[in-house]
Every structure is written in structure tokens, then in C-alpha cells.
Amino acid sequence: MAGVCDGHIGRAWHETAALADNALMRDKRVILGVTGGIAAYKSADLVRRLVERGAQVQVVMTAGAREFITATTFQALSGRPVRESLWDSAAEAAMGHIELARWAELVLVAPATADFMARLAAGRADDLLATLCLATTAPIVLAPAMNQQMWANVATQANVATLEGRGVRLLGPAVGDQACGEFGPGRMLEPTELADLIEPLIPGDGPLSGRRVLITAGPTRESIDPVRFVSNRSSGKMGYAVAQAMRAAGAEVVLVSGPVALPAPPGVRRLNVESAVQMHETVQQELAGCDVFVATAAVADYRPIAVAGSKIKKKTEQMTLEMTRTTDILATVAARADRPFVVGFAAETDAVEQHAREKLLRKNLDMIAANEVGATKAFDCEDNALLVLWRGGGRAELPRASKRELATALVALIAERLRANAGPGAVAGAASAGAAKA
Ligand code: CTP
């Protein structure tokens, strides 16, 4: 960072980087390629969003990008001299382009013009950015931005197909008003959205890096008629905290969430559902390749047998709602031959350990986290306490703490059990083999 952190130019980077103490992207090395489109002005903000998440950002500009924005802006925001040319001998002496390609943990090109995508699809190495893309083994992500007709052109679409077929990820473009006065697909995604989306794409280095985790959270809503439903008081806080802790441990996280008032944790892919049926279907669709399944959702145990097509009128003094059992999502996942490591939750009002152990066996789980519930306990609270039991008789008491702290401790236990299952003498999938002896 020599030469750029002094005086006022360095201050912008320092101030933003200071926000990154607990950031998930801390010290992740990102090359941000900027190509020549009007959306390049948004890339300055994108640098800030990445730096505030803790990333080290090396900006690489093409000649076209320099027509829209200066290197000084990026240098001030990233805290690093911008790389612009293959033929800059001073920069090459400090870090050659092959070294730079190896340094990157992710290459994000935003905006990516039609021309840049064409050059990438053709395997050209005619400027520094294209050369880096050829030479890197890091994931490459493009945020296309161009006139909507250029995006729709068959040549561009063929390049998109080629690039996607090679594993290049495209984020966007969004549909909207364009700088050229037209309307349609071609707008670059907003910087915050891009920063959120690339987080899970950077390979992690925590105890669960390389693992895929599926989590259910929140309540479900079971419709009675178009305006009424049966639900429960689950806030989703525990499940969201588990999702965040899993992500912080390096896992790729998919969160299947019932209706809650919480934002998706950064870097977590959230899929919104309403009913138990939808939650079950979504879990089935997302289960392939999953290493861990954690069911924190308060799934309705019953749903109305029939959903009225129009609003039910109050014609009688009493009404009876006939309900039927919903599918137990957790037990269904645990019954699969190709099951992941399965963790359930139990909410008990009494004899917590006894009921939880019964549930661990009955549902054939690998682990269960039990909490005591009551009028002021667990549901919609900020803190909680958990008793964690696992196969083979293991147990751990996690004393009262914030849901965030509990989630971190629970994730550490899950990572430990996964390691133990994969250790010497462990049989792959042993957790699923028949009789549990918890
Ligand atoms: N679960 C599920 N699908 C359902 C019901 C529950 O996946 N249809 C999951 C929950 O996400 C949780 C666990 O199963 O992980 C809870 O089990 P459950 O048997 O419903 O226990 P409790 O809610 O504690 O209820 P009960 O009083 O019936 O024991």
C-alpha cells in the first residue's frame, strides 16, 4: 500500500476498513476489474462496500474504464495503487500479473461490458484484466452492464452461454432505466447487492469451508382461507443466528425461511416460503450435495384439511377447523439413504433431556439442540440456553447466552462431530446406519 495511505487519499480507505472488524470477508483478496461502461461510476461505491466487509481490493482498470472514471478515485477507496497495464514495468516488478492472478481469491468484473465478455469468451489476453482472467484459478464473477439491445444480441447471449458453461458466474444485469434513455435488462446490480452476492462465492477457510449447509428457520403459515392462517410465535432469530455462524465458519449456506421480520444474513442465500408444504418442497430441491441439515423452523404440525377459496363468513356461533398432520421435514431428511449430518431442535416445557433424547432416537437424528420453552422463554427472545445431545451418548450444556453466541457454540459442536465422523475408523454415512445408540 506504499504511497497511497498517506494524507487525505489514504483516509477514505482507512475509515472504511475500520468498519470491518467482524466482517465475513475479512482479508479476502478480491480483484475488482472495471471495464468501460457508464456503470463504472458505481464501482467506486462497490470498492467501499467490499472494503467495509474487510476485503483487500485490488482494482484493475481497462483502457475503456479510464474514459469514465479515474484511477485516483479507486486508489483512495481501495488503499492500493490501481493496475492498468500489462506493460507497466514498475508495477510488474512489485507484483507480476501471474503473481496477481494467483493472489486473487475471487475476480469480480463490474461493470463487465459486452466487449469484455466477448474477449473473455474468446480466451483473449490482450490487456491486463483479460490476461488475469485467463491466468487465475479463482472464481470469476461478472456483473454485466450494457444497452438492453446489446445484451439481447445473439452474439452476447452466445458469449454468456459459453462463459457460464465454463463456470463463470454472472450476477445481473437488472432490468430498469438505462443511461442511454432505453428501458430493459442491462443495468449493473447495485454495489451493496453485488457485495452481498459475492460473499458466499469466495472460498472460505473456516472449519466448515467447502461444506454446504441447509437450514430451515422461522414459523410456517397454514392458510384457512385467503385472508386467515394458523401460525406460531417463532421469530426465526435462532435459525438466522445459526445461518450466520455457519457462514462465518466458512460454509455455503442456504436458508429456507418462513415469514419473519429479519434481513438475510450477509452471504447467505435465503429462500422464502410460507407453508409447511412449501418448506418441505424447497428443502427437497436444495438437499442435493448438502453436508449438514439443521432444522430450526417451528413448522406447523397441523394444517387445515381444506383451504376455503373465498373468505369464510361468520354464519354460526361456533366453528370447527379440521386439520391434518404436516410432513415431518426433519424426519424425512433423516430417513434418506444419502442423508447429510442431521440436526434437529426440540422445544420442551418439562423433562427436557428425556424428551430430547427420545426425539433424537425416534427421528434418527445425528444431533439435537433442546431448549425449555414457556411464556417468557425461547420464543422471540434475544437469549436462550441449549442442551445439545448427539449420537453415541454425547451431551453439552450451552448456558444462557445471546442466540448469536449459542449459534456459534452449536456450529463449533457440529463441526467437531463432522470431523469425528470423518476420522479414522469412521464409515462414510455411518451416522445414517440404522439403530442409534444415543
Ligand atoms: N420439524 C420439521 N417438520 C415438521 C415438524 C417439525 O422439520 N413438520 C422439525 C423442527 O424444525 C425441529 C423438530 O422437528 O427441528 C421439532 O420436532 P417436533 O417433534 O415438532 O418437536 P416439538 O416441536 O418439540 O413438538 P412435540 O411437542 O410434538 O414433541
Side-chain angles (χ1 to χ4, degrees):
M1 263 159 265
V4 289
C5 292
D6 311 318
H8 66 281
I9 284 192
R11 206 171 300 139
W13 171 76
H14 274 303
E15 284 169 2
T16 315
L19 298 171
D21 269 2
N22 293 313
L24 291 174
M25 256 200 240
R26 189 170 3 175
D27 294 333
K28 297 294 179 195
R29 301 181 301 273
V30 177
I31 287 181
L32 174 62
V34 183
T35 70
I38 180 61
Y41 80 92
K42 290 190 193 173
S43 306
D45 189 35
L46 179 55
V47 174
R48 278 193 87 100
R49 301 300 141 230
L50 296 173
V51 169
E52 77 187 10
R53 284 164 163 80
Q56 298 179 43
V57 182
Q58 173 63 60
V59 176
V60 177
M61 295 173 78
T62 63
R66 291 200 295 273
E67 300 294 325
F68 291 91
I69 188 162
T70 70
T72 316
T73 304
F74 287 126
Q75 181 166 317
L77 294 170
S78 67
R80 289 171 171 267
V82 171
R83 297 289 296 263
E84 299 176 68
S85 166
L86 261 175
W87 315 115
D88 178 340
S89 49
E92 281 289 311
M95 196 196 289
H97 59 274
I98 298 296
E99 231 179 308
L100 188 55
R102 287 196 198 118
W103 173 87
E105 292 176 275
L106 182 117
V107 178
L108 168 64
V109 183
T113 58
D115 176 65
F116 182 75
M117 286 167 51
R119 288 195 286 125
L120 201 57
R124 300 292 300 265
D126 50 357
D127 68 3
L128 177 61
L129 185 57
T131 306
L132 289 171
C133 288
L134 271 190
T136 193
T137 53
I140 299 174
V141 181
L142 307 181
M146 65 197 72
N147 164 271
Q148 50 97 16
Q149 206 54 55
M150 290 170 74
W151 171 252
N153 191 292
V154 284
T156 305
Q157 289 306 309
N159 291 332
V160 167
T162 303
L163 292 169
E164 285 184 331
R166 289 181 196 151
V168 173
R169 270 294 281 271
L170 268 74
L171 301 176
V175 175
D177 289 324
Q178 302 206 295
C180 53
E182 294 182 17
F183 181 90
R187 283 172 62 93
M188 186 170 100
L189 296 189
E190 293 305 319
T192 305
E193 206 176 349
L194 280 175
D196 285 348
L197 288 168
I198 66 161
E199 255 181 29
L201 304 178
I202 302 176
D205 49 11
L208 292 176
S209 60
R211 302 283 196 170
R212 189 163 189 270
V213 178
L214 185 59
I215 300 169
T216 64
T220 63
R221 283 181 184 172
E222 310 304 327
S223 291
I224 298 170
D225 68 15
V227 296
R228 302 183 180 95
F229 54 78
V230 181
S231 191
N232 59 64
R233 292 185 196 281
S234 167
S235 64
K237 284 177 187 159
M238 192 67 220
Y240 275 57
V242 171
Q244 189 158 358
M246 286 286 188
R247 179 69 199 120
E252 180 194 338
V253 184
V254 180
L255 179 62
V256 181
S257 176
V260 295
L262 300 171
V268 167
R269 186 156 71 93
R270 177 171 65 179
L271 303 171
N272 294 324
V273 296
E274 281 233 339
S275 65
V277 168
Q278 286 170 355
M279 186 172 273
H280 185 218
E281 281 170 5
T282 307
V283 164
Q284 295 297 324
Q285 281 159 15
E286 292 293 323
L287 210 50
C290 174
D291 299 291
V292 181
F293 175 67
V294 187
T296 74
V299 186
D301 291 323
Y302 295 89
R303 64 178 165 80
I305 288 180
V307 181
S310 52
K311 189 176 165 221
I312 299 170
K313 292 287 184 192
K314 47 181 178 307
K315 291 186 192 132
T316 53
E317 270 314 301
Q318 292 189 343
M319 96 165 249
T320 306
L321 193 60
E322 261 204 289
M323 300 181 83
T324 181
R325 280 285 288 269
T326 57
T327 306
D328 189 321
I329 303 169
L330 176 62
T332 311
V333 172
R336 288 170 67 115
D338 59 346
R339 59 181 274 176
F341 185 88
V342 180
V343 184
F345 268 69
E348 310 290 351
T349 49
D350 56 295
V352 176
E353 181 151 3
Q354 188 195 336
H355 285 140
R357 204 167 281 287
E358 276 165 20
K359 213 164 275 181
L360 178 76
L361 291 170
R362 179 163 41 84
K363 296 202 188 191
N364 194 27
L365 309 179
D366 295 301
M367 185 181 271
I368 193 158
N371 55 44
E372 201 177 334
V373 289
T376 58
K377 288 179 185 158
F379 273 20
D380 210 7
C381 292
E382 290 308 323
D383 61 359
N384 199 359
L386 289 177
L387 172 66
V388 184
L389 308 174
W390 58 89
R391 226 168 238 282
R395 78 193 288 287
E397 284 179 33
L398 306 181
R400 185 155 291 279
S402 70
K403 287 184 176 175
R404 202 183 166 132
E405 287 166 295
L406 285 176
T408 303
L410 178 65
V411 167
L413 280 175
I414 293 172
E416 201 179 292
R417 297 323 308 156
L418 276 176
R419 259 199 316 275
N421 286 358
V427 181
S432 60
K437 54 180 181 61

